[in-house]
Amino acid sequence: MPLRASLKPADFYVKAVFVLLIIMLLSDFFKEANMNIFFVLDTVKRIIWSSTVFLLCFYFARGRVHIPLSKTFVFFSMTAAILSSFQYVDRALLAFLQLFLTFSFFLQLTAFSNINFSFYHFNKLRNFFVWMIMPIALYAIIESLFGFPNLYNLAGYTIDSAAIVRGDISAPTTIFSHPGNLAWILSFAACLCFSEWVIIRRRLPGFLFAILCVALFLTMRKKSIIALLIAVIIILWITRHSFIRKLFSIAIVVVGSLLVMIVFSDFFDAIISSARLNDPFEGTLTPRLKLLLGSWDIASSNFPLGAGLSTFGSLTSVSSYSPLYDQTGISSQYGLSSDNPLYLLDTFWPMLVAEIGFIGAAFYFFCLLELARKLYKYHQKSQSNEVKFILTVALMILIKAFIESLSTPIFSKMPYSIFIAVFCGIAISIARRERLLR
């Protein structure tokens, strides 16, 4: 096959990811300004998502597909999901849709890893992400430290004060309606800059990483901050060759973090306490804890395969309100009812445990673990700094995403899952071309 023809899917998906990032950055504005435009943009996202499934089917039809994950783990996890869904036949179509959503990350990863991506494509993606997000990071710092108005409010839209206020401190949101969205995109770009700084040893990425960390710290989103910190520590342990250097590098990060905590104690008190104005959950369990306990009861009652897809904590279980919410008493809780499902999509692993059971969730976990193990193995085998850099980016993003998945459906939520899958897929694609998969 000619090289130009083989690179066409790679060129398309690089541009598609560009479009997805722009849509993500502007979707909050359009959602408020014009629902018709927002609907069009949301349709574009779904088309891009669907195209990865069609591409994967095309590869399978040609018999030329490389599966980057353990076939056993994927097979048993999806089998548990399908078998468990026969309990609610009336939700069969919703369960079928949820099957693709739940396993969307693995489907996208397989599709992307079979495309002949090159260093050129990776560099275009990395540069686009970093330089699109850097102005947002700078404005977040200006907004927080100098009292500049956030751009969302400046456009005439209202932000819920409970989402941004922690104690007496307000978090920046820039162009977003919620600081959590800003924190995620900042931490994602930070992974790209930190990996380049550590592996390629350029000063500019290190400087950009510092700016992104300051902006991330000001958002006061402990989930993203902790996820990035853990990812940094693990990457330092992996990339440092001697045991002494490993300990020294990690000690610098830990001591530096402690010094920042001491100097900016007010910020950390606000981050840790997460005190909100008019907190509706004061003195009660948070929605995430209620969903966690509810998922455990459901999985135990429907052992070992769970209650089935589209029944608990998933997108389709909310769009067509699942009867399990009434049966477990969750529907009577604030933010979890059918008329106000504000927090029903705030979990991931409880959703898996409830819908595909303990066994299905365990195999799902082993799929992610297997992917991390392979990326690490390729990283250790590579002799090229450029390839190590790409593999480090993929591994760091995956680690951060796993930590975030403890409280967010990051692997089944678009476009987050595509952003993670495309960088991991590029890493595996290049590793395959470099003969590291042996």
Side-chain angles (χ1 to χ4, degrees), residues 229-425:
L229 181 61
I230 292 174
V232 164
I233 290 173
I234 293 175
I235 292 302
L236 286 174
W237 182 267
I238 290 171
T239 55
R240 296 297 183 253
H241 298 296
S242 69
F243 183 73
I244 298 299
R245 291 192 67 188
K246 291 176 190 286
L247 290 181
F248 181 71
S249 298
I250 293 172
I252 290 177
V253 173
V254 173
V255 171
S257 299
L258 290 174
L259 288 175
V260 172
M261 288 177 64
I262 293 170
V263 174
F264 301 98
S265 57
D266 290 343
F267 265 94
F268 271 96
D269 287 342
I271 292 171
I272 294 170
S273 65
S274 294
R276 307 181 184 190
L277 290 176
N278 303 318
D279 193 341
F281 312 115
E282 190 173 357
T284 64
L285 294 177
T286 64
R288 285 195 179 103
L289 283 175
K290 290 172 183 174
L291 290 169
L292 175 61
L293 295 174
S295 69
W296 190 271
D297 290 340
I298 291 169
S300 300
S301 303
N302 296 272
F303 185 84
L305 298 180
L309 295 169
S310 182
T311 58
F312 190 87
S314 56
L315 179 63
T316 53
S317 74
V318 177
S319 59
S320 177
Y321 201 70
S322 171
L324 282 184
Y325 296 128
D326 291 323
Q327 294 174 23
T328 56
I330 284 178
S331 60
S332 62
Q333 307 296 319
Y334 175 82
L336 304 176
S337 60
S338 58
D339 58 340
N340 182 29
L342 188 61
Y343 303 109
L344 273 176
L345 298 178
D346 275 6
T347 60
F348 181 69
W349 291 100
M351 176 200 77
L352 289 180
V353 168
E355 292 196 344
I356 63 178
F358 295 114
I359 292 178
F363 280 116
Y364 197 105
F365 169 78
F366 284 124
C367 286
L368 294 174
L369 190 64
E370 173 73 3
L371 174 59
R373 187 191 69 81
K374 285 188 174 182
L375 290 172
Y376 172 73
K377 183 180 74 172
Y378 305 153
H379 182 279
Q380 297 302 97
K381 287 176 66 176
S382 176
Q383 301 300 314
S384 164
N385 265 3
E386 280 189 314
V387 177
K388 278 186 178 290
F389 166 41
I390 294 170
L391 289 164
T392 301
V393 166
L395 192 55
M396 189 171 184
I397 288 173
L398 183 63
I399 293 167
K400 184 183 85 75
F402 177 76
I403 302 300
E404 289 168 332
S405 74
L406 299 178
S407 62
T408 304
I410 204 76
F411 291 112
S412 61
K413 187 176 182 180
M414 188 176 56
Y416 302 103
S417 62
I418 293 184
F419 293 155
I420 301 164
V422 73
F423 279 99
C424 290

Side-chain angles (χ1 to χ4, degrees), residues 179-234:
N181 299 333
L182 172 62
W184 189 89
I185 204 71
L186 290 172
S187 60
F188 193 91
C191 289
L192 301 176
C193 293
F194 181 79
S195 299
E196 186 175 4
W197 181 37
V198 169
I199 302 299
I200 308 299
R201 299 180 185 276
R202 292 177 182 152
R203 292 182 181 179
L204 179 59
F207 176 69
L208 298 179
F209 172 71
I211 293 175
L212 290 164
C213 285
V214 171
L216 176 62
F217 172 64
L218 293 173
T219 65
M220 297 187 289
R221 300 296 113 172
K222 55 177 177 287
K223 173 180 60 183
S224 295
I225 294 171
I226 292 171
L228 181 63
L229 181 61
I230 292 174
V232 164
I233 290 173
I234 293 175

Side-chain angles (χ1 to χ4, degrees), residues 100-235:
F100 286 99
L101 294 175
T102 299
F103 294 92
S104 61
F105 172 71
F106 298 143
L107 296 173
Q108 293 154 7
L109 174 70
T110 304
F112 291 139
S113 65
N114 281 275
I115 297 173
N116 289 324
F117 284 109
S118 65
F119 295 105
Y120 166 77
H121 297 109
F122 172 81
N123 286 327
K124 281 191 72 174
L125 272 178
R126 179 205 59 192
N127 290 334
F128 188 78
F129 266 80
V130 171
W131 294 113
M132 282 291 290
I133 295 167
M134 277 310 302
I136 298 172
L138 291 170
Y139 194 88
I141 295 172
I142 294 171
E143 178 187 330
S144 183
L145 298 183
F146 300 102
F148 273 41
N150 64 68
L151 299 177
Y152 195 78
N153 277 151
L154 207 59
Y157 309 133
T158 304
I159 297 178
D160 182 10
S161 60
I164 64 173
V165 176
R166 293 293 183 266
D168 297 324
I169 304 172
S170 295
T173 62
T174 62
I175 60 176
F176 297 101
S177 61
H178 195 285
N181 299 333
L182 172 62
W184 189 89
I185 204 71
L186 290 172
S187 60
F188 193 91
C191 289
L192 301 176
C193 293
F194 181 79
S195 299
E196 186 175 4
W197 181 37
V198 169
I199 302 299
I200 308 299
R201 299 180 185 276
R202 292 177 182 152
R203 292 182 181 179
L204 179 59
F207 176 69
L208 298 179
F209 172 71
I211 293 175
L212 290 164
C213 285
V214 171
L216 176 62
F217 172 64
L218 293 173
T219 65
M220 297 187 289
R221 300 296 113 172
K222 55 177 177 287
K223 173 180 60 183
S224 295
I225 294 171
I226 292 171
L228 181 63
L229 181 61
I230 292 174
V232 164
I233 290 173
I234 293 175
I235 292 302

Side-chain angles (χ1 to χ4, degrees), residues 75-89:
F75 173 78
F76 279 111
S77 186
M78 294 190 75
T79 300
I82 294 169
L83 292 177
S84 64
S85 300
F86 283 107
Q87 296 184 62
Y88 295 89
V89 180

